């Protein structure tokens, strides 16, 4: 067993993670609180095999990103009700030589709203997309007391997700007629992300003044979807906020102390701005 003795080791594991903004955010947190720790980005392609080496190297905590969140759920001891409902963990912590798992993605969504004083309880929320990211968002929106409906390019997936969570689904083809019913919209698909082959899928005329619109895509920091929502009088919330608050929750779970929010936010937004210019 190898253990790094000068400094505690943390990392984000995923594939690809080359452009991850998490190292900038987490290392800023360590610096702000003078914690002798370091946070890396590790490309992990074979999850179970690579986790053996990561464990042997003595890592204390890991952020887990696409495509390993479901595998991490299977590997870890998980007593987090949210992770079980969502079916994924995005955070691992080594406790007494055992990996424990937690989901903080949904906390990232809830705290993005809380930090702006936006209350969506009793409001009608529409979730665009029915993949892994949508599951965390649906869980968060339900926890915030919203009435949730899902719509997806592939209708069947929306309907089966709706069954599972006890929410509504609408067919993709009826989105335009139904959209007036909603006050909150969450965009959870990779559409609009830098480098993704498709820039535009959801019609921008779904936006109404006063809607609250959150796009989980944060590369670019302001997507075309968000720009268009803003132009039509909506309040927009960036996926960067979710990234920040899910990271804050991870830090607090690892260290059992309050995270340095401002330092993390500054580092994250600066790294995102640099990334937008690459
Ligand atoms: P993730 O775990 O990141 O959510 P996923 O499980 O692959 O990723 O889900 C991706 C979601 O984005 C799905 O809702 C997918 O729609 P389908 O179920 O129809 O595949 C949606 N998505 C991906 N590419 C899309 C595109 N070009 N246009 C519309 N929706 C897209």
């Amino acid at each position: 067993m190898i253990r790094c003795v000068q400094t505690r080791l943390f990392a984000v594991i995923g594939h690809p993670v080359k452009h991850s903004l998490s190292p900038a955010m987490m290392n800023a947190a360590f610096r702000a609180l003078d914690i002798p720790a370091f946070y890396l980005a590790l490309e992990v392609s074979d999850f179970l095999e690579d986790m053996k080496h990561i464990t042997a190297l003595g890592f204390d905590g890991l952020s887990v990103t696409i495509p390993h969140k479901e595998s991490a759920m299977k590997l870890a001891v998980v007593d987090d009700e949210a992770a079980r409902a969502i079916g994924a963990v995005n955070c691992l912590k080594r406790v007494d030589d055992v990996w424990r798992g937690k989901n903080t993605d949904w906390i990232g969504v809830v705290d993005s709203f809380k930090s702006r004083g936006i209350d969506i309880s009793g409001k009608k929320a529409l979730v665009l997309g029915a993949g892994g990211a949508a599951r965390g968002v649906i869980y968060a929106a339900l926890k915030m007391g919203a009435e949730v409906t899902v719509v997806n390019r592939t209708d069947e997936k929306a309907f089966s997700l709706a069954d599972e969570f006890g929410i509504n689904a609408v067919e993709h083809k009826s989105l335009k007629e139904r959209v007036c019913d909603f006050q909150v919209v969450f965009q959870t698909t990779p559409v609009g992300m830098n480098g993704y082959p498709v820039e535009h899928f959801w019609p921008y005329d779904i936006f109404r003044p006063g809607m609250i619109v959150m796009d989980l895509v944060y590369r670019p920091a302001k997507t075309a979807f968000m720009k268009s929502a803003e132009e039509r009088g909506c309040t927009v919330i960036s996926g960067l906020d979710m990234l920040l608050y899910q990271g804050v929750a991870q830090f607090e779970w690892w260290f059992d102390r309050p995270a340095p929010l401002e330092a993390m936010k500054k580092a994250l937004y600066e790294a995102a701005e640099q990334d937008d210019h690459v």
Side-chain angles (χ1 to χ4, degrees), residues 105-124:
D105 280 334
W106 74 277
I107 301 173
V109 177
V110 171
D111 287 352
S112 299
F113 280 71
K114 249 194 220 161
S115 69
R116 288 159 166 256
I118 300 175
D119 179 2
I120 61 166
S121 76
K123 293 213 159 96
K124 292 193 165 79

Side-chain angles (χ1 to χ4, degrees), residues 138 142 147-148 159-169:
I138 291 169
L142 288 172
E147 199 183 298
V148 184
F159 283 89
S160 87
L161 198 59
D163 265 359
E164 189 183 334
F165 280 89
I167 58 172
N168 302 312

Side-chain angles (χ1 to χ4, degrees), residues 65-145:
T65 189
I66 291 167
H68 301 311
K69 292 183 186 188
E70 288 81 11
S71 311
M73 173 92 190
K74 289 187 199 136
L75 176 90
V77 173
V78 181
D79 46 26
D80 172 24
E81 176 228 310
R84 285 209 290 262
I86 296 163
V89 305
N90 70 320
C91 185
L92 294 170
K93 173 177 170 173
R94 194 87 179 140
V95 186
D96 299 333
D97 286 333
V98 171
W99 284 112
R100 305 196 78 87
K102 184 177 167 80
N103 190 299
T104 68
D105 280 334
W106 74 277
I107 301 173
V109 177
V110 171
D111 287 352
S112 299
F113 280 71
K114 249 194 220 161
S115 69
R116 288 159 166 256
I118 300 175
D119 179 2
I120 61 166
S121 76
K123 293 213 159 96
K124 292 193 165 79
L126 179 66
V127 175
L128 308 177
R135 299 177 68 89
V137 166
I138 291 169
Y139 187 87
L142 288 172
K143 280 282 174 196
M144 288 190 278

Side-chain angles (χ1 to χ4, degrees), residues 242-255:
M242 179 189 166
L243 187 64
L244 171 66
Y245 288 105
Q246 63 79 37
V248 164
Q250 294 192 358
F251 180 98
E252 295 185 346
W253 188 48
W254 288 330
F255 293 97

Side-chain angles (χ1 to χ4, degrees), residues 66 129-134 152-154 157 188-191 196 198 201-202:
I66 291 167
N152 191 44
R153 174 178 64 177
T154 313
K157 278 202 218 162
T188 73
T189 77
V191 172
Y196 199 72
V198 184
F201 177 76
W202 305 105

Side-chain angles (χ1 to χ4, degrees), residues 30-272:
F30 298 159
R31 277 195 304 276
L33 297 181
D34 248 335
I35 295 174
F38 199 72
Y39 185 104
L40 300 157
L42 300 178
E43 279 288 340
V44 162
S45 47
D46 181 341
F47 180 78
L48 286 178
E49 185 57 28
D50 293 348
M51 277 302 290
K52 286 185 201 157
H53 302 296
I54 288 170
T55 306
L57 281 166
F59 278 78
D60 282 313
L62 300 169
S63 309
V64 184
T65 189
I66 291 167
H68 301 311
K69 292 183 186 188
E70 288 81 11
S71 311
M73 173 92 190
K74 289 187 199 136
L75 176 90
V77 173
V78 181
D79 46 26
D80 172 24
E81 176 228 310
R84 285 209 290 262
I86 296 163
V89 305
N90 70 320
C91 185
L92 294 170
K93 173 177 170 173
R94 194 87 179 140
V95 186
D96 299 333
D97 286 333
V98 171
W99 284 112
R100 305 196 78 87
K102 184 177 167 80
N103 190 299
T104 68
D105 280 334
W106 74 277
I107 301 173
V109 177
V110 171
D111 287 352
S112 299
F113 280 71
K114 249 194 220 161
S115 69
R116 288 159 166 256
I118 300 175
D119 179 2
I120 61 166
S121 76
K123 293 213 159 96
K124 292 193 165 79
L126 179 66
V127 175
L128 308 177
R135 299 177 68 89
V137 166
I138 291 169
Y139 187 87
L142 288 172
K143 280 282 174 196
M144 288 190 278
E147 199 183 298
V148 184
T149 299
V150 59
V151 64
N152 191 44
R153 174 178 64 177
T154 313
D155 287 328
E156 301 86 79
K157 278 202 218 162
F159 283 89
S160 87
L161 198 59
D163 265 359
E164 189 183 334
F165 280 89
I167 58 172
N168 302 312
V170 291
E171 285 184 349
H172 179 228
K173 68 172 188 298
S174 46
L175 173 63
K176 281 199 192 174
E177 306 139 36
R178 293 292 309 279
V179 81
C180 300
D181 303 347
F182 301 100
Q183 292 121 14
V184 187
V185 174
F186 294 95
Q187 201 299 110
T188 73
T189 77
V191 172
M193 190 166 72
N194 282 347
Y196 199 72
V198 184
E199 272 179 26
H200 187 182
F201 177 76
W202 305 105
Y204 294 159
D205 54 7
I206 63 175
F207 300 126
R208 301 282 177 277
M211 262 184 180
I212 299 152
V213 177
M214 181 173 203
D215 192 347
L216 260 55
V217 172
Y218 53 79
R219 183 174 296 116
K222 195 173 268 183
T223 58
F225 186 82
M226 281 170 69
K227 279 186 198 152
S228 166
E230 212 165 43
E231 279 160 22
R232 288 167 170 82
C234 306
T235 299
V236 298
I237 305 179
S238 161
L240 275 177
D241 281 14
M242 179 189 166
L243 187 64
L244 171 66
Y245 288 105
Q246 63 79 37
V248 164
Q250 294 192 358
F251 180 98
E252 295 185 346
W253 188 48
W254 288 330
F255 293 97
D256 207 15
R257 63 190 284 189
L261 175 68
E262 286 313 318
M264 292 171 78
K265 187 173 185 173
K266 184 168 179 283
L268 176 66
Y269 275 77
E270 278 172 10

